[in-house]
Amino acid sequence: GKGRTLAGFVVENIARGRKKHVWISVSSDLYEDAKRDLRDLGMGSYAENNCYNLGKLPYGSLVGGSSKSSKKRGRRGRAVKAIKAKNASGNFDE
């Protein structure tokens, strides 16, 4: 599924030497699913030592209002720029 694909992106980025990765999900259930998907791809130790559930972050501030909103694109764009500035790869799991 989609989560397994996102986990594959993490594995690929680690193989390419990128040490930081941000995976933003809409629910805490997806956090456990992400860890499971990483374990299933042979990254169990990575999942246990590097995955953190930050609780209820203001995800809505990244998504914004309506789908046509420039505000939405601006917030998501800033989030992506922040991820890139930290030399990290990132996934949005919506």
Side-chain angles (χ1 to χ4, degrees), residues 3 15 24 43 45 50 73 80 85:
I24 299 173
M43 301 295 292
S45 177
N50 296 290
R73 288 187 303 274
V80 170

Side-chain angles (χ1 to χ4, degrees), residues 27-72:
S27 75
S28 58
D29 292 340
L30 292 174
Y31 164 73
E32 291 300 328
D33 291 346
K35 286 178 65 175
R36 182 203 63 224
D37 289 333
L38 287 167
R39 280 192 300 272
D40 290 349
L41 293 176
M43 301 295 292
S45 177
Y46 179 86
E48 292 305 317
N49 296 316
N50 296 290
C51 292
Y52 304 98
N53 184 348
L54 301 177
K56 294 190 179 211
L57 293 176
Y59 186 82
S61 68
L62 294 174
V63 176
S66 71
S67 63
K68 295 181 181 178
S69 168
S70 63
K71 191 174 186 182
K72 174 183 176 180

